[in-house]
């Protein structure tokens, strides 16, 4: 299995632009998670899905952030409009059980820079 | 408000010695704790976990200790190896919301020769 695939690996955009981050989970994993990593706050859970349905989006910082999972093999995290404080590494993870241990797999992340 | 805290941003240890990474939490509802390891340009990978019904869990060179009264856990790596050099994240979850992991800010471990 290729693991969790995220694209792009790096994104540089200007303030005010729309940014879309993409994630392909491991086949058969029913849970998908979006995280943001910053130096100050570490890894923060933004939102997670179970069977393509958003279960908890309490970590989404503002209405500028939205996430969708149109099918079991694809999810997007969109920021519109983007701001410099959104600069971070965004990780997607998937799991078959929803628990954080064995089988909980992170992608390699998307480093977002908003200038 | 950081509910999981890793107060040491970095740690340097000689090869062969013990590495001790610490983590404190404030939410008394947390009952499952995990450690993740992260190399540069990669996502975190699960390392070891412990349930609140235990105070110790071992897996090879890695041992996690939990002190519930102090709301403190630690990860011991013995002996430390250069390949252990990475960022280590502590995470916690609560019964009923086991899929919601709360992470700390990470500790960068460097194992020197």
């Amino acid at each position: 299995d290729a693991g969790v695939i995220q694209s792009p690996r790096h994104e540089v955009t200007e303030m005010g632009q729309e940014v879309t981050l993409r994630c392909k989970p491991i086949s058969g994993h029913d849970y998908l998670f979006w995280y943001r990593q910053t130096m100050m706050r570490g890894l923060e859970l933004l939102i997670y899905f179970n069977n393509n349905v958003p279960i908890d989006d309490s970590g989404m910082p503002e209405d500028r952030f939205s996430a969708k999972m149109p099918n079991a093999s694809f999810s997007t995290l969109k920021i519109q409009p983007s701001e410099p404080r959104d600069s971070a590494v965004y990780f997607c993870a998937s799991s078959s059980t929803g628990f954080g241990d064995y089988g909980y797999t992170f992608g390699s992340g998307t480093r977002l820079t908003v200038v | 408000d950081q509910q999981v805290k890793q107060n040491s941003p970095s740690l340097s240890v000689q090869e062969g010695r013990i590495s001790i990474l610490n983590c404190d939490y404030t939410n008394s509802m947390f009952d499952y704790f995990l450690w993740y390891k992260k190399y540069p340009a990669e996502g975190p990978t699960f390392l070891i976990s412990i349930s609140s019904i235990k105070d110790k869990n071992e897996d090879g060179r890695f041992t996690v200790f939990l002190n519930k009264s102090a709301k403190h856990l630690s990860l011991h790596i013995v002996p430390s190896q250069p390949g252990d050099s990475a960022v280590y994240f502590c995470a916690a979850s609560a019964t009923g919301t086991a899929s919601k992991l709360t992470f700390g800010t990470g500790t960068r471990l460097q194992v020197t020769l």
Side-chain angles (χ1 to χ4, degrees), chain A residues 9 31 33 35 37 39-43 45 48 56 58 91 98-102 104 106-108, chain B residues 1-2 32 34 36 38 41-47 49 59 89 98-105:
Chain A
R9 288 299 305 272
Y31 289 83
F33 305 83
Y35 287 88
Q37 183 193 3
M39 291 293 291
M40 291 299 295
R41 301 180 66 86
L43 275 161
L45 177 64
Y48 78 92
D56 190 318
S58 58
F91 288 99
F99 296 112
D101 47 22
Y102 302 99
Y104 197 102
F106 281 84
S108 298
Chain B
D1 176 35
Q2 284 288 126
Y32 193 64
L34 310 96
Y36 283 78
K38 184 185 179 303
E42 295 182 11
T45 55
F46 169 72
L47 189 57
S49 62
D59 184 358
F89 289 96
S99 294
K100 286 190 69 171
L101 295 181
T102 301
F103 281 82
T105 52

